[in-house]
Amino acid sequence: MSEKNIIKIKDPILSIQNLSVAYDKNNYAVKDVSVEVKKNTVTAIMGPSGCGKSTLLRALNRMHELYENIETKGTVLLNGQDIYKLPTIRVRRMTGMVFQRPNPFPTMSIYDNVIAGYKLNGIRLKKSEKDEIVERSLRDVVLWEEVKDSLFKKGTFLSGGQQQRLCIARALAFGPEVILLDEPTSALDPVATSKVEDLLTKLKENYTIILVTHNMAQAARISDYSLFMYLGELVEYDKTKNMFTNPQDKRTEEYLTGKFG
Amino acid sequence: MNALHQIDTSKRRLLKDRIFYWLVIAMAGLTISPIVLIISKLIAKGYKQISFEFIIRNTPDTYEAMTAISNNELIPGGIANGITGTLLMVVLAAIIAIPVGIITGIYLYENQGKRLANLTRNISDIIQGVPSIVLGLIAYLWIVKNVTNGYSALAGSVSLSIMMLPMIIRSTEETLKMIPQTLKEAGLALGVPYYKVILKILVPTGFSGLLTGILLAISRVMGETAPLMLTALGSSVINLNISEPTSAIPLLIWEFYNDPNMVDLIWSSSLLLMGIVLLLNIVSKQIAAKRK
Ligand SMILES: Nc1ncnc2c1ncn2[C@@H]1O[C@H](COP(=O)(O)OP(=O)(O)OP(=O)(O)O)[C@@H](O)[C@H]1O
Ligand SMILES: [Mg+2]
């Protein structure tokens, strides 16, 4: 076990220690994973289908607890705080999540979608504060110029790529520590995908990004660190450059060279 | 020989197609014809009586009606007492049934496969099958006997609200089931508490579905007569006090049927009732169509 290639990070913003998650008793989807994530980087989670990527990601804001009978062991420290000892609502407000398919709230305007985190949580803001948050978040996701004249139209009228950027803006508006994205471009066309990728590389200046992706080229393009999972286990964790040029584990190498996946 | 045989079968198939085609048309016609017949009959016999007067005046007494008929005039008066009574009782029934039905529907949606939820769903289905007069009897025992100490609009509303419940529960549950799970997740991931996700995201998203169910339930109970006979009883004047006997359009139709002098009013009252119910149905269909 100790010969696994798992690098250490100095002053991590997120520290996952011996995390295991089971959907049913003793049927672990994530097995004893320990990873530290560096602030202001993009970290990619890779691995074949069903290896536990989404489960690991969702365990970081406790969204996996939506399923009944879920069992979680281990510790996750976000900024030094154990998220499993905090109220779930607080954990989820400290993190932003973006899903595979764009899911703006269909009853809300673009404007309201961006500040949905405030509105739905009953946090009252002045009009000027709201305007400022909406503009800043939409500028952050490079959507402002495209929608500034139609802020009060329904978000569902936008194209798929625009909707996904709107969902990222919604996740940013609350000022999260970490943004968790689960295959955010798998439902998008290549142009929209590259826009989202550009955006993520830009966003890491202010945020820490953890990205689940099936797309190795995408991981190579935009991530600083990569972790490779296989059957619920963390196989390898390294700087993306090292991982792609010189994988230490045979399974990583086989996956990266397309032998399975 | 071979070729001939082929022609023969294709001809026969053509004939079969034709027969089937006309059969379908005939069946469809058979289904539509009662509705067309009813509506045309109602219009033909009832249109003369419909006027502004008819909506704002109370039912005449049998003597007034008799005099009018013997003078070959239209029967004076209208069914204002029935219209207001129907409105009062249906609105009150909706006020009772909508929150209970929606909350129960949400509960069923949130607890798929759980035992108590399944039991609740089954009971709701059973209520849907209970004859409406039995629901009237129940409201009689609960309300007429124990609450209002006499026939009352409230008792009528309670019987109607029990009828509405299963429809609202069903449509709420089905509507919520159709909303993508990912919207719920989006809300929860923003740190929104569970109950707020339901009330502020799921319910508004499914709003038109809920509204359709409610309108259909309302149009369904609007024409109910039997439970009202045991509960609201009827009244010859407008009554807006929920603890007093109250009239309703279907109750009046029944009364007109039993009074030889008033028989002519059946058609116009039925026409009005049918018109309102049809309108509600069309509106709810329209809303349902818009959703898709
Ligand atoms: N709700 C659930 N109930 C039971 N088992 C589940 C559930 N969700 C996932 N699993 C199982 O947990 C394992 C990991 O699933 P997970 O969704 O995390 O994989 P993944 O790496 O994200 O796969 P993909 O690339 O296909 O999205 C799989 O074996 C899966 O069958
Ligand atoms: Mg997944």
Side-chain angles (χ1 to χ4, degrees):
Chain A
M1 280 288 147
S2 56
E3 78 266 21
K4 265 192 198 170
N5 174 28
I6 292 170
I7 60 161
K8 292 274 167 216
I9 303 282
K10 245 187 284 160
D11 298 325
I13 185 169
L14 184 77
S15 169
I16 304 165
Q17 297 163 3
N18 306 102
L19 185 73
S20 297
V21 180
Y23 285 99
D24 317 297
K25 270 219 171 327
N26 298 321
N27 183 8
Y28 282 88
V30 170
K31 297 171 190 160
D32 198 25
V33 168
S34 298
V35 166
E36 290 164 335
V37 175
K38 194 169 168 62
K39 202 174 158 144
N40 296 29
T41 60
V42 176
T43 301
I45 303 178
M46 291 187 296
S49 189
C51 69
K53 305 182 293 293
S54 298
T55 310
L56 175 62
L57 191 78
R58 293 164 74 95
L60 303 182
N61 65 348
R62 298 178 63 182
M63 283 294 284
H64 68 314
E65 288 175 11
L66 289 191
Y67 301 106
E68 277 169 59
N69 309 321
I70 201 97
E71 205 181 286
T72 313
K73 287 194 294 200
T75 320
V76 176
L77 302 177
L78 179 55
N79 264 336
Q81 283 180 295
D82 185 347
I83 65 162
Y84 286 92
K85 297 217 170 87
L86 294 173
T88 39
I89 286 175
R90 264 198 57 203
V91 174
R92 291 175 187 161
R93 289 179 192 178
M94 285 155 61
T95 52
M97 188 164 233
V98 178
F99 300 82
Q100 198 164 350
R101 297 199 159 273
N103 54 1
F105 297 124
T107 53
M108 294 186 197
S109 64
I110 294 172
Y111 186 98
D112 283 344
N113 260 289
V114 176
I115 50 164
Y118 295 90
K119 272 191 83 153
L120 296 170
N121 282 313
I123 298 168
R124 291 188 178 278
L125 296 173
K126 278 192 231 124
K127 173 88 171 64
S128 58
E129 291 172 311
K130 283 195 269 187
D131 289 347
E132 199 229 298
I133 292 170
V134 169
E135 180 169 348
R136 177 167 43 76
S137 308
L138 288 174
R139 280 193 191 282
D140 274 351
V141 299
V142 206
L143 193 57
W144 176 253
E145 292 300 327
E146 288 158 68
V147 302
K148 66 180 178 200
D149 297 320
S150 46
L151 288 175
F152 295 98
K153 282 203 190 131
K154 292 257 151 44
T156 38
F157 284 130
L158 299 172
S159 74
Q162 288 174 322
Q163 286 189 25
Q164 193 62 305
R165 280 181 280 150
L166 175 61
C167 291
I168 299 175
R170 178 176 68 189
L172 294 181
F174 226 65
E177 303 278 348
V178 181
I179 306 168
L180 309 168
L181 305 101
D182 195 346
E183 301 186 35
T185 60
S186 65
L188 304 184
D189 63 65
V191 176
T193 297
S194 82
K195 278 193 183 165
V196 170
E197 288 182 1
D198 291 348
L199 165 66
L200 293 178
T201 24
K202 201 193 82 171
L203 281 179
K204 74 178 178 189
E205 287 168 21
N206 297 314
Y207 302 91
T208 306
I209 294 167
I210 302 178
L211 166 80
V212 168
T213 179
H214 250 128
N215 182 337
M216 280 175 267
Q218 179 171 69
R221 278 195 297 271
I222 62 173
S223 73
D224 304 293
Y225 293 85
S226 293
L227 58 91
F228 177 69
M229 291 180 73
Y230 188 68
L231 297 176
E233 272 179 55
L234 175 63
V235 173
E236 192 160 351
Y237 177 44
D238 206 338
K239 290 203 163 146
T240 302
K241 237 188 276 158
N242 298 345
M243 182 106 115
F244 276 80
T245 50
N246 188 17
Q248 300 295 304
D249 194 286
K250 219 171 148 248
R251 289 167 293 183
T252 318
E253 189 185 337
E254 283 176 354
Y255 181 75
L256 293 178
T257 54
K259 293 235 172 66
F260 65 87
Chain B
M1 185 72 194
N2 224 330
L4 258 177
H5 184 75
Q6 269 172 6
I7 289 170
D8 201 37
T9 50
S10 77
K11 251 189 184 167
R12 200 181 299 159
R13 187 183 302 141
L14 220 68
L15 191 67
K16 268 191 194 164
D17 275 358
R18 287 226 108 140
I19 293 176
F20 187 72
Y21 174 78
W22 284 111
L23 206 68
V24 168
I25 296 274
M27 289 301 162
L30 216 61
T31 321
I32 303 169
S33 57
I35 304 221
V36 175
L37 284 176
I38 290 168
I39 293 178
S40 53
K41 183 95 175 166
L42 285 183
I43 292 174
K45 294 201 128 193
Y47 84 96
K48 268 186 273 152
Q49 197 77 40
I50 300 263
S51 63
F52 187 57
E53 288 270 290
F54 189 70
I55 294 167
I56 60 159
R57 289 187 56 189
N58 287 339
T59 42
D61 57 34
T62 189
Y63 178 76
E64 284 174 281
M66 194 172 69
T67 328
I69 290 170
S70 59
N71 292 339
N72 246 337
E73 288 165 2
L74 279 181
I75 300 174
I79 56 167
N81 47 334
I83 296 172
T84 50
T86 289
L87 277 179
L88 173 69
M89 285 191 278
V90 167
V91 166
L92 193 57
I95 290 174
I96 300 169
I98 290 171
V100 178
I102 288 182
I103 290 169
T104 311
I106 291 173
Y107 167 77
L108 294 186
Y109 163 74
E110 281 303 320
N111 293 280
Q112 296 294 327
K114 298 245 180 77
R115 215 196 271 149
L116 190 59
N118 287 340
L119 185 69
T120 311
R121 193 178 297 108
N122 286 336
I123 290 174
S124 160
D125 287 350
I126 291 170
I127 293 175
Q128 184 134 42
V130 172
S132 60
I133 192 150
V134 176
L135 300 179
L137 210 57
I138 292 169
Y140 175 83
L141 291 176
W142 285 354
I143 311 294
V144 174
K145 283 276 201 177
N146 293 314
V147 180
T148 50
N149 293 316
Y151 297 105
S152 64
L154 179 65
S157 297
V158 168
S159 67
L160 297 184
S161 69
I162 304 174
M163 278 193 75
M164 289 174 73
L165 265 182
M167 285 181 264
I168 297 179
I169 292 173
R170 247 294 128 94
S171 74
T172 304
E173 188 187 1
E174 296 302 322
T175 303
L176 291 178
K177 269 194 193 164
M178 273 165 45
I179 298 175
Q181 182 75 8
T182 157
L183 280 185
K184 193 162 131 187
E185 294 192 335
L188 292 170
L190 288 171
V192 182
Y194 206 83
Y195 77 96
K196 276 195 187 169
V197 168
I198 291 173
L199 293 181
K200 292 189 169 181
I201 299 173
L202 298 191
V203 169
T205 304
F207 181 73
S208 54
L210 301 190
L211 195 62
T212 308
I214 290 166
L215 288 182
L216 283 178
I218 287 176
S219 75
R220 177 83 187 66
V221 300
M222 202 152 225
E224 275 300 321
T225 322
L228 297 186
M229 290 175 168
L230 303 179
T231 51
L233 193 67
S235 154
S236 58
V237 292
I238 293 176
N239 167 55
L240 297 175
N241 180 346
I242 62 167
S243 61
E244 292 291 326
T246 307
S247 192
I249 304 174
L251 277 180
L252 286 180
I253 294 174
W254 173 244
E255 283 168 25
F256 297 153
Y257 173 79
N258 286 312
D259 185 336
N261 293 319
M262 309 263 240
V263 171
D264 280 355
L265 291 177
I266 289 181
W267 305 104
S268 41
S269 313
S270 302
L271 183 60
L272 195 71
L273 184 61
M274 185 92 181
I276 298 172
V277 170
L278 223 56
L279 195 71
L280 277 175
N281 265 288
I282 291 169
V283 169
S284 58
K285 290 253 157 65
Q286 216 82 45
I287 294 170
K290 254 205 189 139
R291 292 178 69 206
K292 288 168 193 151

